Amino acid sequence: MKLLRDIRLLYMDSMRHSFKNPMLIFLSLFQPLMFMLLYMPLLGGLGAVPGITGGGTLNLFIPGLLVMQAIFEGGFVGFSLIDDIRSGLINRLLVTPVSRSAILLGKILRDTTVVLMQCVLITLVALPFGLSLNPVGFLLSLVLYALMGIIMSSISYGFALIYKSDDSLAPTMNTLTLPISLLAGIFLPLALAPLWLQYLGKINPFSYGVDATRELFMGNFLNVNILVGFVVLGVMAVAVFYWTLYQLNKMAK
């Protein structure tokens, strides 16, 4: 299929550019590693707090930390697209027979690959600290992290196509990522929050992803939160991607 061939070619090209400076991939791990070393120990006494589910505080904290990584890693990839717009690369691609969906998917899949690599590395680092997880549940949770990466990358690219300016994209993504991450309950479950904050959390699709990944880490495969997480994030990923594709088509006119 032509679309799959175009996606593969653009994905491989994007990956080659990423691995020209692989240190950037690892440097982006600094923040989550600092959270693990300096923040995670503060949660040691929360095991008996109501709202903290079984599996220990590590099984509460690490899935949320990986969600945070997916949100922030995907949320700022739009700057690379702005560089491509300025250099004329996107305009040149738009006048070729390459599918416009492939132009976006090649980049988004590259970003998602980087997010998954980082999630695996963070999890491996957490194992010596006492993290226990269900291997099958962890593999399934990677699908959810991929969906979250797709959502945030699509949003970032969509605003990059609208603004075409670093000065406008940076405050927009900062304004979005902070409340999205806080209202997802990434460090502490929203069950500990006041009711008004819990209600706000319910309109945040990432909160369902956090709940689902925590259950998957513990191997609670029959928990309804898992199904809800896959459905909510899957629908959101498709909807946001087509919004971004619409912005690309507008630019081509």
Side-chain angles (χ1 to χ4, degrees):
M1 248 182 98
K2 180 179 179 301
L3 175 61
L4 293 178
R5 186 196 64 189
D6 291 346
I7 293 172
R8 180 180 64 83
L9 291 173
L10 290 169
Y11 169 76
M12 295 303 296
D13 182 66
S14 295
M15 288 300 296
R16 278 193 295 271
H17 283 290
S18 294
F19 282 104
K20 282 182 179 178
N21 193 355
M23 280 305 298
L24 291 177
I25 297 175
F26 293 99
L27 285 174
S28 62
L29 295 173
F30 178 78
Q31 182 176 339
L33 291 177
M34 288 299 99
F35 271 107
M36 285 180 59
L37 293 173
L38 303 179
Y39 183 85
M40 188 171 64
L42 300 177
L43 303 178
L46 293 179
V49 174
I52 304 293
T53 55
T57 53
L58 272 175
N59 288 71
L60 170 81
F61 179 75
I62 297 300
L65 184 66
L66 299 182
V67 170
M68 184 190 77
Q69 186 67 12
I71 291 173
F72 283 90
E73 184 67 26
F76 293 92
V77 295
F79 294 103
S80 66
L81 183 60
I82 291 175
D83 288 338
D84 290 342
I85 292 172
R86 285 174 177 162
S87 68
L89 175 62
I90 297 301
N91 284 328
R92 290 195 296 272
L93 285 173
L94 288 173
V95 297
T96 67
V98 171
S99 166
R100 289 172 185 172
S101 295
I103 295 173
L104 290 176
L105 286 171
K107 288 181 169 293
I108 290 171
L109 292 177
R110 183 273 313 272
D111 303 329
T112 304
T113 300
V114 172
V115 166
L116 293 180
M117 290 170 57
Q118 293 171 337
C119 287
V120 171
L121 288 173
I122 293 169
T123 303
L124 290 175
V125 171
L127 289 175
F129 288 91
L131 174 67
S132 60
L133 51 80
N134 182 286
V136 175
F138 174 66
L139 292 175
L140 289 173
S141 72
L142 289 178
V143 179
L144 291 171
Y145 296 131
L147 289 173
M148 287 183 261
I150 290 170
I151 291 169
M152 291 307 301
S153 294
S154 298
I155 291 173
S156 187
Y157 286 138
F159 281 114
L161 290 165
I162 293 171
Y163 295 137
K164 304 178 184 64
S165 165
D166 298 342
D167 294 337
S168 299
L169 181 62
T172 298
M173 295 313 301
N174 278 318
T175 301
L176 284 175
T177 53
L178 184 58
I180 284 175
S181 57
L182 292 177
L183 288 174
I186 54 176
F187 294 142
L188 292 172
L190 289 175
L192 301 177
L195 284 177
W196 67 269
L197 199 56
Q198 293 183 39
Y199 292 142
L200 282 177
K202 290 184 184 298
I203 65 175
N204 179 9
F206 290 90
S207 67
Y208 299 98
V210 172
D211 292 340
T213 54
R214 283 176 176 154
E215 298 298 339
L216 284 169
F217 265 59
M218 292 185 289
N220 298 332
F221 298 113
L222 297 181
N223 191 291
V224 69
N225 287 333
I226 296 174
L227 177 61
V228 173
F230 273 100
V231 171
V232 170
L233 292 175
V235 171
M236 184 74 175
V238 172
V240 175
F241 170 76
Y242 277 103
W243 170 75
T244 306
L245 182 61
Y246 169 74
Q247 299 301 331
L248 182 62
N249 287 329
K250 274 182 64 177
M251 176 181 168
K253 291 180 180 178

